[in-house]
Amino acid sequence: MSLAEQSVGFEEFCFARITETLSEQSWVVVPDALPPALAEALFAQVRMMTPDDFAAAGVGRSHDHTLNSFVRRDQICWIEGANDAEKEWLAFCSRLQTYINRRLFMGLFSFESHFAHYAPGAFYKKHLDAFRPSPTERGARRVLSLVAYLNPGWQSADGGELVIYDEHGAEPVQRIQPLYGTLAIFLSDQVPHEVAAANRDRYSIAGWFRVNGTKADRVDPPL
Ligand code: OGA
Ligand code: MN
């Protein structure tokens, strides 16, 4: 088997695991899911980034978007496909989007993502990534969240776990270490989650697949 065939097999295996689990529950975690070459490229980029590349992350939809350091303290940098690493990342997520749509008919339409840096002490309190749609809501909605971790040698003492809660947000059901190459994927409006305070620099990419809010007779304004 050629290297290219091996990497296609690796990706299929990982995508299959994601869709099979998501057909039964609202979240899935796959260790070592990032293709090694992609993980290396993204990690190399993260290491080159300086504090100036990042901006403080905000909370809420764009019209009431606010900086709230009580809720979250991470720093983010949106991924626009500015270099090969970002392009490969977006291509990987686009293949995942197609795969999920074919298997689960989710109608995923667009994708957005950003690098996130949690400095020591930074956290993100329990939250949902999207609210359940109201009948009057317009625009593209986040439906599926994805987080990829880029932290070689992470130890339990480093904290910074992604804590997944039950659907009511009452009890933690899983704590996930932000280990290099791990992917966490979950339904944006159904899985309350938080990022526990990290004791060392923690790097990740958070992304969201959206469904298209366009109705037959009009095009929704961007959020
Ligand atoms: C987020 C988020 C989780 C993580 O950015 O909305 O919940 O583990 N991130 O970084
Ligand atoms: Mn989140």
Side-chain angles (χ1 to χ4, degrees):
M1 201 191 268
S2 73
L3 266 182
E5 281 166 341
Q6 275 179 34
S7 67
V8 168
F10 175 90
E11 194 168 288
E12 280 268 343
F13 183 78
C14 154
F15 288 0
R17 171 95 182 270
I18 291 168
T19 50
E20 276 156 27
T21 311
L22 283 182
S23 68
E24 283 159 13
Q25 64 173 38
S26 51
W27 57 273
V28 55
V29 176
V30 187
D32 296 317
L34 276 187
L38 176 59
E40 273 166 41
L42 292 169
F43 182 56
Q45 179 171 343
V46 141
R47 267 183 317 187
M48 280 181 341
M49 291 167 77
T50 65
D52 283 351
D53 294 319
F54 287 92
V59 177
R61 304 175 206 214
S62 57
H63 61 272
D64 59 5
H65 183 93
T66 50
L67 293 178
N68 183 339
S69 62
F70 181 71
V71 176
R72 67 187 296 190
R73 296 258 173 98
D74 55 324
Q75 302 266 316
I76 65 167
C77 173
W78 287 99
I79 295 181
E80 315 280 6
N83 52 47
D84 285 350
E86 293 193 359
K87 287 194 183 93
E88 262 183 69
W89 164 252
L90 293 175
F92 173 79
C93 293
S94 165
R95 292 194 296 277
L96 176 57
Q97 176 176 321
T98 304
Y99 191 98
I100 291 175
N101 280 340
R102 284 192 185 140
R103 302 289 188 301
L104 301 177
F105 310 107
M106 288 185 74
L108 306 178
F109 180 79
S110 62
F111 180 71
E112 63 187 343
S113 59
H114 61 59
F115 288 103
H117 170 222
Y118 290 72
F123 53 78
Y124 193 164
K125 297 274 191 212
K126 185 167 68 185
H127 65 282
L128 286 169
D129 285 348
F131 299 95
R132 290 172 202 223
S134 70
T136 54
E137 185 168 311
R138 296 166 163 231
R141 244 176 345 103
R142 289 177 171 179
V143 288
L144 193 65
S145 304
L146 166 158
V147 194
Y149 299 104
L150 298 170
N151 306 291
W154 195 268
Q155 308 283 315
S156 10
D158 296 328
E161 299 98 341
L162 169 65
V163 185
I164 299 220
Y165 285 83
D166 63 51
E167 60 186 312
H168 310 292
E171 298 292 334
V173 293
Q174 186 87 15
R175 299 178 76 89
I176 298 136
Q177 291 196 13
L179 275 171
Y180 188 79
T182 295
L183 268 188
I185 300 186
F186 50 90
L187 299 182
S188 304
D189 64 358
Q190 289 178 34
V191 179
H193 57 282
E194 79 175 277
V195 179
N199 300 321
R200 57 172 257 210
D201 291 298
R202 175 195 195 267
Y203 293 96
S204 58
I205 296 177
W208 298 271
F209 295 102
R210 293 174 176 268
V211 292
N212 187 9
T214 306
K215 299 282 188 303
D217 58 339
R218 65 178 165 78
V219 173
D220 282 315
L223 276 183

